[in-house]
């Protein structure tokens, strides 16, 4: 009795190759959507939607935003704001809490800002909110943890801002009237 051998031609393999090629292209497109902007291109603008600083009325910025050259390169993906341990941490704008818990031993609160594709993060913070809570601008989301500060001897809060997986400068959320230093001055009205 003869055994029949399965003979495959190149044409039999085409549907599988087409499917593999399609899945590869789909994966590459999904990764490209989350990739940081190409070098030399400015990131999309950050809308000035904040209504308050996360801590204090105008805290000292101990370390500013230093954008990384690539997604995993060195840099500082936020700003460090000087503040005493135990101080309240406030949502800078209205939003929904997307995370409130511990990451690498530190308390973290993350808020998706209403009407934007932006998410702010605050750490180290002992959360007073939970995932899914709605917060208003200026609403307390927690308190600065007493644990060792990543800012050395000065307690601080690290304030971050993300659009997807791309880090942005959180100070861009602040409108000019919150960034200005010094008191308002009334000027004389001439010709009255």
């Amino acid at each position: 009795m003869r055994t029949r051998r399965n003979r495959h031609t190149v044409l039999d393999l085409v549907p599988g190759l087409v499917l593999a090629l399609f899945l590869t292209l789909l994966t590459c497109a999904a990764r490209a959507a989350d990739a940081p902007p190409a070098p030399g291109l400015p990131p999309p603008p950050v809308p000035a939607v904040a209504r308050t600083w996360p801590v204090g009325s105008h805290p000292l910025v101990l370390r500013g935003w230093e954008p990384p050259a690539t997604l995993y390169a060195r840099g500082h993906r936020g700003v460090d704001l000087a503040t005493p341990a135990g101080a309240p941490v406030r949502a800078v704008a209205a939003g929904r809490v997307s995370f409130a818990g511990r990451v690498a031993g530190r308390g973290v609160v993350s808020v998706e800002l209403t009407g934007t594709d932006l998410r702010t993060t605050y750490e180290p913070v002992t959360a007073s909110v939970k995932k899914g809570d709605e917060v208003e601008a200026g609403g307390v989301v927690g308190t600065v943890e007493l644990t060792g500060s990543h800012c050395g001897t000065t307690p601080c809060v690290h304030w971050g801002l993300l659009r997807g997986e791309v880090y942005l400068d959180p100070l861009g959320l602040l409108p000019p009237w919150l960034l200005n230093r010094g008191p308002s001055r009334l000027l004389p009205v001439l010709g009255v």
Side-chain angles (χ1 to χ4, degrees):
M1 186 147 106
R2 271 188 173 177
T3 336
R4 195 171 202 184
R5 288 187 180 174
N6 288 336
R7 290 189 182 183
H8 294 286
T9 65
V10 172
L11 294 176
D12 294 333
L13 300 175
V14 168
L17 291 172
V18 169
L19 179 61
L21 180 61
F22 175 74
L23 291 175
T24 301
L25 291 173
L26 189 61
T27 302
C28 290
R31 286 186 180 159
D34 288 339
L41 293 178
V46 173
V49 296
R51 297 293 164 251
T52 184
W53 283 85
V55 292
S57 60
H58 197 293
L60 175 64
V61 176
L62 297 173
R63 184 174 178 194
W65 183 65
E66 300 163 13
T70 63
L71 189 59
Y72 299 106
R74 292 179 60 169
H76 192 236
R77 292 159 172 83
V79 295
D80 292 336
L81 306 174
T83 187
V89 178
R90 302 179 182 283
V92 297
R96 179 184 301 268
V97 177
S98 59
F99 181 83
R102 303 204 68 76
V103 175
R106 293 178 187 249
V108 176
V109 175
S110 184
V111 177
E112 294 174 355
L113 302 182
T114 304
T116 72
D117 58 349
L118 301 171
R119 182 175 78 241
T120 60
T121 59
Y122 313 96
E123 66 100 359
V125 174
T126 300
S128 60
V129 293
K130 63 185 183 312
K131 182 177 179 177
D133 285 354
E134 294 283 336
V135 293
E136 294 297 320
V140 175
V141 296
T143 56
V144 179
E145 287 185 348
L146 192 57
T147 60
S149 173
H150 64 279
C151 294
T153 58
T154 306
C156 70
V157 164
H158 178 84
W159 176 30
L161 176 66
L162 293 108
R163 175 179 278 131
E165 297 298 318
V166 177
Y167 289 89
L168 302 168
D169 184 358
L171 294 178
L173 289 172
L174 296 170
W177 59 270
L178 274 174
L179 283 172
N180 290 338
R181 298 177 189 262
S184 299
R185 294 188 185 138
L186 297 175
L187 299 174
V189 179
L190 302 175
V192 179

